[in-house]
Amino acid sequence: MLKLVELATTRPKLVIAVVLLVTGLFMSQFPKVKTDTDPKHMLPATSAVRVYNDAVEEHFQLHADWIVLGIVNAKGVLNPTTLAKVARLTNAIVGLPGVVPEDVISFTTADNVLADEANLYVKPVMAEVPQTGPELAALRRALIENPLLMDRLYSRDGQATAIYIPLATNANGKIIADQIRGLLRKADDDGSGDEFHLAGDPVARDSFGAEMSKQMGIFSPIAGAIMFAALLLMFRSLVPVIACMGVSMVCVIWAMGGTIGLGIPIHIMSSMSPVFLMAISTDTVHIFNEFYFRFRETADKRRAILDSLRVVGRPLIYTDLTTAAAFASLAVGDIIPVRVFGLLVAFGTLVLLLMSFTLTPALLSLMNADRLAALTRHEDMAEGSSARWLSGLARFSLRYGKAVVAGGLLLVLVSLIGVSRIRVNNNLVQWFKPHSDIRVGDAVLNRELGGTATAYLVVQGGQPDAMQQPEVLSFIEGLQRELEKSPLVGKTTSLADVVKRVSRVMHADDPRYEVIPDSADAVAQYLLLFSMAAKPRDLNNFVDYPMQQANLWVQLKTWDAVGMQQVQQIVEQYKSRALPAGSGKTGSLSIRAAGIAYFNLVWNQAVLWGMLYGFIVSCVLVLFLMSACFRCPTLGVIAGLPLLFTILVIYGLVGFIGKDFDMPIAVLSTLSLGLATDFAVHFIDRYRQRRAEVGPEACMDSVLAWTVARPGKGIVRNAVLFALGFSAMLFAALTPYITVGLFMAAIMLLSALATLTLLPILVKAVRSRPHGRQRER
Amino acid sequence: MQRSLLAFYYGGSDTKIRARMDLIDRSGGRRTRVLTMLRRDESEGANQRLFIYFHEPSDVRGVSLLVWKYPAKDDDRWIYMPAMDLERRVSANDRQSSFVGSDFTYEDVSGRDLGDERHRLVGEGSAGGRACYQIESTPVGASSYARRVWWIDKQNYLPLKEEYYDRRGGLVRVFSADEVRSIATGSHTYPTVTKRTMKDVRTGRRTEVTFTDVKYDLGLRAADFTERSLRRPPAAWIR
């Protein structure tokens, strides 16, 4: 490695030119970028839940993605102006590219079957916009009396209707939502009091995707600028600033360019990797830190560079290799974007290591020696105020070691309570701020209509035609009533509702006949009639061709995992109580869940717990690697303690403030892997070097104080720099970025503090024992 | 084209067809129905009466459907359900709606009028290995499709293939005549598509109709096509 440094210091311009050339090559890949923001794709296409979801969509001819346009009017939506608007909007929406035109559902496209004594009438709910009082009253009655329409196309308080818009596969929900907003702008502000709200998973998901790149575009440079200013203040010269920022840019470009070049789409996870790499690359600060001290001592630029890297080099190699290994170990899991992310950051970290021994020394050797002399005047161990302050801190914690450790333990205990309160939940809608259109739209539609999150409960019979048996339909109907008792369930719809509706219509619209008939023949004939009158999909959505599986739709009023968990509990209880034994006509019956709400629940389990698991594996790996680096398990464990301490406290905080353990938080935990150990490694390695330098007779306290003051200053610089940079994200418009910014800053500061206060005490405790002393090199 | 419409929808002055209809989803899930369809032309290429009787599955045996079709106005339809002994007249203003949940529409079953569409001969080609005229037709009024391209056999004028396109030019449905047989009745021979498939390109679902028995010129009476026959299907023809 030092050979590389010698080359960099003798031929700096050549080294810089080569690095720039390679960087240019990686950068040329950027225009090929593909993004993928669908959280579904975090699970492999072959995962059981995705395979079954696809099968259910296929069996029941369902669309995976729906946008819901809610139209709300406090004076009621059944008035000619609003209804004309619904008709106009439906017409316009049907023509939008990406929308499946034949399956858009609104007053004008949904069919209703009406009846009198001798006739059945099949016509759209609203064929023409009603103008007169009686016409409006008739429409109102038609809506209220049809349970298939109520709470779906018309709210109980009469203040809301909706247009349901299915999207073609691969259509972008955000683009279509923007086009719909364009249509709404024309419809707005006519004094009618109509309000419009857009909701649905594709809107949230794709808006998040679009917003994600925008926010990254805004906040990466701001974070960069703040770090730039902070670095300038610390080193008072442009060269280390440019070197530090340049190195992190090079890492980001190589890693992202490489990923893009391989044709791998950038997912939410990997889109955060520039932040990670910038964070990890602040490591370079240790080189400048030591270089300033060394130059002050020797006044020989080339020697100062070589000496700095000789002492900082080993901890740099340790920390970067540990970090790279930790991230690479994420690739062991099943979740593809997490794998990509792990390998991407691992590669970037190795690039950083290479740059630390090439680009950084090359840039440093271009610095003007006279100017350096002026700059480094204050970097003196005895005179420097910050160094004095830091060694004071070391002496304080060494003197009051027991109190400091007790304080730390207390904090750990309190944090454990917090950790026990953590709720694993990922709610995409809540990634937007409370007053954002998406949050408000979702809340309004959940209040007025059936609910925006859909789950399917597939009731499967043992043989064809099982779903036409009256006892099966009664079982399904009973389950619906049970589910509807939960406040989180808004509406349920099933084949039982269809059969009851046809029965009533066939009996001259007599409400007494809104029941499931006694004979399977009657059910079969009603369904045949329904298939003659309605659109095929109106039946296919609820039952498959062989009539062996029925689909019960459950609309939930929340995207939280708890909604679906409750549904599953109700299903289990009801099943154990009411599941028909299964006759020769039905075979044995079973129920299986699917749909986006169920998917989210599984996703929570698989992805978040998977990440947690991967994180624990990485932690063990890190401890092992550090033990290997120091050739001493005790020191390895000690070096891991600030990391564990930091994580516990952070997660304790997450538990106490009631923040869900969601994807951004899970991502953060992996970040701490890359950062929190660095400080400890630098600390312990430099401590050992110093001890070897000054000899075994030197007072241990003073060696530790030196370590806290000198490499410790690098640690503080690194942490502050980082915390400042990421505090910029507190002003982001998406909550995950705020979370990441806030917690990132907290992790850095906390682990720096833990390293500088706890490590001296722990090292002293271990090293004071005789066997520890003997093993000291 | 007129000849094609007549050959396809108006073969003989009346017909009796026993057919099996299979609705098949992408994964092979299937719903099968066996029915008899009687057809009588009141006048060639104009008013038509259809009587449809379901034999299978057994739970719908006896369900009957009567359709009176007029060239320029909505059909009259009646349905009878034996399980409840209920009969209703059904008013639906859409001939292009699905025929009993299949991928065929009422119109596909009972036929279109020449004047419903504007036709243009676009060239010659082949379908099913036979020389065809290729025709493009555009509906005159409101319609579920924007355009269809079809291939008719140069010799017997039967349509062998049809492609339906939506407003954005996307292919929606494809019809294919999978088997053509000549049905002899007395002195006359009627070429007949005895097996046909309509595929919904977007959902991947398809409906196959196989004629198991076809007879022409039986001398069906107008009385066989009245509301009375719903409850008492003409026993001579339906077994």
Side-chain angles (χ1 to χ4, degrees):
Chain A
M1 278 299 190
L2 283 176
K3 289 251 166 61
L4 274 178
V5 181
E6 273 174 33
L7 173 74
T9 47
T10 41
R11 310 284 306 272
K13 288 186 178 153
L14 176 75
V15 168
I16 293 170
V18 169
V19 169
L20 284 180
L21 186 74
V22 178
T23 307
L25 282 178
F26 277 110
M27 202 154 178
S28 69
Q29 302 297 313
F30 274 53
K32 291 193 219 156
V33 67
K34 282 184 296 200
T35 57
D36 181 356
T37 55
D38 194 336
K40 265 185 216 169
H41 300 162
M42 300 262 313
L43 294 181
T46 52
S47 67
V49 64
R50 275 184 74 178
V51 169
Y52 189 61
N53 252 9
D54 290 348
V56 167
E57 279 164 14
E58 153 61 22
H59 274 308
F60 299 107
Q61 222 181 334
L62 302 161
H63 291 288
D65 286 330
W66 289 88
I67 294 180
V68 187
L69 170 60
I71 298 136
V72 180
N73 189 321
K75 287 176 285 180
V77 287
L78 296 190
N79 66 73
T81 322
T82 305
L83 291 175
K85 221 179 279 177
V86 170
R88 228 173 26 240
L89 280 170
T90 307
N91 246 333
I93 286 167
V94 164
L96 293 177
V99 169
V100 183
E102 66 272 21
D103 297 329
V104 171
I105 300 169
S106 85
F107 280 162
T108 55
T109 60
D111 276 337
N112 197 7
V113 183
L114 301 168
D116 57 29
E117 281 296 333
N119 295 286
L120 293 180
Y121 305 93
V122 184
K123 55 184 186 186
V125 173
M126 181 175 82
E128 272 157 44
V129 176
Q131 300 295 336
T132 65
E135 282 171 357
L136 287 164
L139 173 60
R140 200 178 123 74
R141 203 171 47 246
L143 289 166
I144 288 176
E145 285 177 358
N146 190 340
L148 296 172
L149 303 175
M150 211 44 206
D151 281 334
R152 192 161 156 72
L153 280 179
Y154 189 57
S155 68
R156 267 167 211 286
D157 62 8
Q159 293 179 8
T161 180
I163 302 175
Y164 294 84
I165 305 151
L167 305 191
T169 326
N170 299 329
N172 182 305
K174 153 100 168 103
I175 292 172
I176 294 171
D178 283 344
Q179 285 171 330
I180 295 170
R181 286 192 191 102
L183 298 172
L184 298 179
R185 230 162 278 135
K186 289 176 212 152
D188 250 346
D189 296 328
D190 52 2
S192 62
D194 293 335
E195 280 174 44
F196 300 98
H197 298 283
L198 278 173
D201 185 61
V203 186
R205 185 208 317 146
D206 292 329
S207 299
F208 187 83
E211 196 64 23
M212 176 177 94
S213 358
K214 217 163 76 189
Q215 300 275 314
M216 275 288 163
I218 297 171
F219 286 98
S220 302
I222 293 182
I226 295 178
M227 285 167 72
F228 188 91
L231 275 168
L232 201 56
L233 264 169
M234 285 175 188
F235 295 106
R236 298 173 303 281
S237 162
L238 272 178
V239 177
V241 177
I242 290 169
C244 186
M245 307 282 296
V247 165
S248 68
M249 290 297 288
V250 167
C251 297
V252 170
I253 292 169
W254 285 33
M256 295 293 277
T259 310
I260 294 167
L262 289 173
I264 300 165
I266 298 298
H267 195 268
I268 304 175
M269 281 293 283
S270 28
S271 84
M272 289 190 179
S273 57
V275 177
F276 279 62
L277 287 171
M278 278 166 87
I280 295 166
S281 66
T282 50
D283 229 15
T284 353
V285 168
H286 292 285
I287 302 175
F288 308 128
N289 186 62
E290 187 60 23
F291 173 69
Y292 269 38
F293 279 115
R294 294 272 164 180
F295 188 82
R296 166 82 180 150
E297 285 160 15
T298 63
D300 176 343
K301 195 171 67 178
R302 188 151 184 273
R303 241 196 83 198
I305 295 172
L306 286 170
D307 284 351
S308 298
L309 279 161
R310 195 171 39 77
V311 294
V312 184
R314 197 169 62 191
L316 275 183
I317 293 173
Y318 286 178
T319 57
D320 288 344
L321 286 183
T322 318
T323 305
F327 279 102
S329 75
L330 292 176
V332 177
D334 309 329
I335 300 148
I336 298 157
V338 176
R339 269 193 225 166
V340 170
F341 168 79
L343 292 176
L344 194 159
V345 175
F347 174 69
T349 309
L350 294 179
V351 174
L352 169 72
L353 188 58
L354 181 64
M355 292 302 132
S356 300
F357 289 91
T358 51
L359 185 61
T360 308
L363 285 166
L364 282 181
S365 67
L366 290 179
M367 279 183 92
N368 182 309
D370 294 339
R371 184 145 159 65
L372 263 176
L375 286 171
T376 53
R377 203 177 309 134
H378 300 287
E379 300 291 331
D380 187 288
M381 287 303 292
E383 287 172 27
S385 63
S386 53
R388 228 177 20 240
W389 196 88
L390 282 171
S391 60
L393 174 71
R395 286 178 201 286
F396 172 84
S397 47
L398 286 171
R399 184 167 310 142
Y400 302 104
K402 280 179 186 153
V404 173
V405 170
L409 280 177
L410 187 70
L411 204 53
V412 166
L413 278 179
V414 172
S415 300
L416 280 174
I417 299 172
V419 169
S420 69
R421 295 192 183 180
I422 281 185
R423 194 169 72 130
V424 174
N425 185 34
N426 199 61
N427 183 333
L428 192 64
V429 173
Q430 284 191 3
W431 287 5
F432 295 87
K433 286 192 163 176
H435 296 290
S436 60
D437 287 352
I438 287 178
R439 280 277 283 274
V440 171
D442 195 67
V444 168
L445 288 173
N446 277 327
R447 189 184 68 220
E448 293 289 336
L449 299 166
T452 51
T454 309
Y456 304 122
L457 295 173
V458 178
V459 182
Q460 173 135 25
Q463 61 183 66
D465 294 336
M467 294 305 128
Q468 294 187 141
Q469 305 305 317
E471 71 267 27
V472 175
L473 290 172
S474 299
F475 168 73
I476 294 173
E477 191 188 13
L479 176 56
Q480 286 178 262
R481 299 295 89 81
E482 282 301 312
L483 288 167
E484 283 160 4
K485 285 180 191 163
S486 160
L488 299 179
V489 173
K491 182 174 172 63
T492 64
T493 319
S494 78
L495 189 63
D497 296 310
V498 172
V499 170
K500 283 160 62 187
R501 174 76 194 153
V502 179
S503 173
R504 172 175 170 164
V505 168
M506 279 307 281
H507 291 90
D509 210 19
D510 185 340
R512 283 174 301 167
Y513 284 93
E514 199 168 323
V515 290
I516 293 161
D518 302 330
S519 84
D521 285 1
V523 173
Q525 293 177 21
Y526 282 156
L527 291 178
L528 182 63
L529 170 72
F530 189 74
S531 74
M532 291 182 200
K535 295 189 176 80
R537 196 179 290 262
D538 290 345
L539 184 60
N540 294 347
N541 281 175
F542 297 115
V543 67
D544 68 344
Y545 273 170
M547 305 264 183
Q548 189 170 352
Q549 300 178 56
N551 180 22
L552 164 54
W553 288 42
V554 182
Q555 283 172 267
L556 295 165
K557 287 181 179 287
T558 175
W559 287 97
D560 284 335
V562 62
M564 191 63 210
Q565 273 163 352
Q566 216 173 76
V567 166
Q568 287 196 303
Q569 279 164 13
I570 295 170
V571 169
E572 283 311 311
Q573 280 165 14
Y574 181 73
K575 233 166 62 176
S576 61
R577 184 156 57 78
L579 189 72
S583 62
K585 284 176 184 158
T586 63
S588 64
L589 295 166
S590 62
I591 302 181
R592 197 167 163 184
I596 184 79
Y598 176 68
F599 181 86
N600 285 346
L601 181 67
V602 176
W603 191 93
N604 271 334
Q605 308 284 344
V607 175
L608 298 180
W609 287 110
M611 281 172 87
L612 207 57
Y613 170 75
F615 169 70
I616 291 165
V617 170
S618 300
C619 270
V620 174
L621 184 72
V622 164
L623 287 183
F624 180 76
L625 281 174
M626 286 196 301
S627 303
C629 286
F630 294 129
R631 290 182 192 80
C632 167
T634 324
L635 275 182
V637 170
I638 286 177
L641 281 178
L643 163 74
L644 293 177
F645 177 78
T646 306
I647 289 165
L648 266 181
V649 172
I650 293 290
Y651 282 172
L653 195 64
V654 167
F656 274 120
I657 61 176
K659 173 101 193 54
D660 288 339
F661 182 90
D662 60 1
M663 197 169 70
I665 296 276
V667 171
L668 274 172
S669 61
T670 59
L671 180 69
S672 56
L673 280 178
L675 299 172
T677 53
D678 286 18
F679 298 160
V681 170
H682 277 284
F683 186 92
I684 291 175
D685 195 77
R686 296 296 300 282
Y687 159 78
R688 296 213 306 194
Q689 287 181 22
R690 178 68 181 177
R691 239 188 119 70
E693 268 171 42
V694 296
E697 289 76 29
C699 161
M700 183 173 231
D701 281 14
S702 67
V703 175
L704 283 167
W706 179 90
T707 315
V708 172
R710 181 145 156 185
K713 188 172 177 184
I715 291 170
V716 172
R717 276 173 162 164
N718 187 341
V720 168
L721 179 62
F722 201 73
L724 275 177
F726 286 90
S727 59
M729 288 174 82
L730 294 181
F731 302 100
L734 296 170
T735 58
Y737 289 90
I738 300 176
T739 312
V740 169
L742 185 70
F743 281 88
M744 196 109 85
I747 288 173
M748 290 307 278
L749 294 175
L750 203 60
S751 60
L753 188 69
T755 305
L756 295 184
T757 54
L758 291 176
L759 275 190
I761 302 167
L762 292 170
V763 169
K764 188 179 172 185
V766 176
R767 288 301 169 208
S768 300
R769 275 182 277 149
H771 70 275
R773 202 180 286 268
Q774 275 161 12
R775 282 171 62 175
E776 190 83 20
R777 253 190 314 140
Chain B
M1 278 160 250
Q2 177 74 30
R3 267 204 259 175
S4 171
L5 289 173
L6 289 178
F8 194 45
Y9 299 115
Y10 294 84
S13 64
D14 60 33
T15 327
K16 187 197 105 160
I17 297 162
R18 190 174 167 114
R20 204 181 78 208
M21 178 180 259
D22 286 296
L23 281 61
I24 304 164
D25 70 22
R26 210 195 305 233
S27 47
R30 192 178 280 259
R31 187 180 296 167
T32 301
R33 287 179 185 134
V34 176
L35 51 88
T36 292
M37 183 168 96
L38 304 177
R39 193 199 76 227
R40 183 172 190 271
D41 303 337
E42 302 296 296
S43 54
E44 181 150 295
N47 291 1
Q48 221 183 31
R49 300 211 169 153
L50 301 170
F51 184 86
I52 294 159
Y53 179 93
F54 288 86
H55 301 274
E56 286 175 35
S58 60
D59 48 21
V60 298
R61 171 168 304 147
V63 172
S64 312
L65 182 67
L66 176 64
V67 181
W68 288 14
K69 185 174 166 286
Y70 315 101
K73 69 175 192 125
D74 288 344
D75 302 345
D76 283 322
R77 292 178 205 160
W78 293 264
I79 183 164
Y80 172 70
M81 287 188 286
M84 280 75 55
D85 189 30
L86 282 173
E87 180 206 317
R88 289 288 181 270
R89 203 178 88 96
V90 181
S91 307
N93 55 4
D94 194 4
R95 265 189 213 173
Q96 286 164 356
S97 60
S98 154
F99 177 73
V100 291
S102 75
D103 296 295
F104 289 95
T105 62
Y106 278 96
E107 197 173 71
D108 295 327
V109 174
S110 64
R112 292 181 185 82
D113 301 326
L114 192 64
D116 288 350
E117 302 172 302
R118 261 192 304 275
H119 308 277
R120 188 167 68 90
L121 182 69
V122 288
E124 298 181 4
S126 76
R130 294 181 61 92
C132 291
Y133 297 112
Q134 190 184 340
I135 296 163
E136 188 182 82
S137 302
T138 321
V140 175
S143 174
S144 61
Y145 58 94
R147 184 169 72 89
R148 75 175 164 125
V149 180
W150 46 314
W151 286 259
I152 51 177
D153 192 312
K154 280 185 176 178
Q155 283 178 358
N156 57 26
Y157 300 101
L158 284 177
L160 298 182
K161 186 178 166 191
E162 297 176 331
E163 292 175 348
Y164 292 81
Y165 294 88
D166 67 9
R167 270 194 274 176
R168 289 193 212 121
L171 182 62
V172 182
R173 294 193 305 156
V174 176
F175 167 89
S176 62
D178 307 321
E179 184 186 85
V180 177
R181 288 217 308 255
S182 292
I183 308 293
T185 304
S187 59
H188 211 290
T189 302
Y190 297 98
T192 305
V193 178
T194 48
K195 191 165 179 226
R196 62 191 71 196
T197 302
M198 184 69 87
K199 186 176 165 91
D200 185 320
V201 177
R202 287 181 294 199
T203 64
R205 298 188 170 215
R206 68 182 194 276
T207 302
E208 293 176 0
V209 175
T210 313
F211 291 180
T212 48
D213 182 29
V214 190
K215 295 212 164 53
Y216 290 99
D217 300 329
L218 298 159
L220 298 178
R221 297 164 305 137
D224 296 331
F225 295 87
T226 62
E227 279 185 69
R228 271 172 53 93
S229 39
L230 284 169
R231 278 196 169 77
R232 268 177 231 89
W237 317 120
I238 290 165
R239 263 175 296 242

